[in-house]
Amino acid sequence: MTTRSRTRLERVRASVGIAQLALQQIEDDLSADDVDQAELAAILRELIEDTDPPGGFIATVAQLLTAAALRAEQIEPDRDGDASCPLHEAAALITDNAGQRLIWAARSLDPQGELV
């Protein structure tokens, strides 16, 4: 592994650590005893709304997996899709399944809340 690769991996590890801390904060907020239906729905909407970056958190995770898939397409042996296809599928599952289910849950909890 080259020094550049090690540095890149160290940046990725640090970024993942920061993301995990942020997600832990969200989990702590979700676990609070005083979260009601409307607030829970609002929190769920924050995960899927078009904010910065566009598309919300869920779409950003899918975009990250798509970027990995595109890179895998370029470097995988025999260009057979053994690495890239599962990554593309994971991105699609996150967007299509997880994102839609968050919308359904938010609407169920607070039908009068902002429509996504």
Side-chain angles (χ1 to χ4, degrees):
M1 186 181 295
T2 67
T3 301
R4 185 173 60 209
S5 294
R6 223 182 337 246
T7 302
R8 181 177 295 124
L9 186 55
E10 289 167 358
R11 281 194 317 266
V12 168
R13 283 184 183 141
S15 296
V16 167
I18 291 166
Q20 287 174 323
L21 289 173
L23 292 172
Q24 182 60 55
Q25 179 61 54
I26 294 169
E27 184 178 343
D28 291 347
D29 288 336
L30 288 169
S31 302
D33 290 335
D34 61 343
V35 173
D36 63 13
Q37 284 180 239
E39 187 175 21
L40 178 56
I43 292 169
L44 296 175
R45 286 185 180 102
E46 284 298 317
L47 297 174
I48 52 178
E49 283 186 349
D50 288 334
T51 55
D52 186 22
F57 174 77
I58 296 296
T60 302
V61 172
Q63 182 180 347
L64 183 141
L65 292 172
T66 298
L70 294 172
R71 184 63 186 141
E73 287 174 2
Q74 297 171 352
I75 63 174
E76 60 191 342
D78 303 323
R79 300 202 188 273
D80 55 9
D82 284 349
S84 60
C85 284
L87 291 168
H88 280 299
E89 290 170 0
L93 286 170
I94 287 172
T95 302
D96 297 343
N97 292 336
Q100 188 59 48
R101 281 168 174 69
L102 285 174
I103 291 168
W104 293 338
R107 285 182 181 160
S108 173
L109 288 166
D110 186 20
Q112 302 304 314
E114 293 181 37
L115 294 179
V116 178

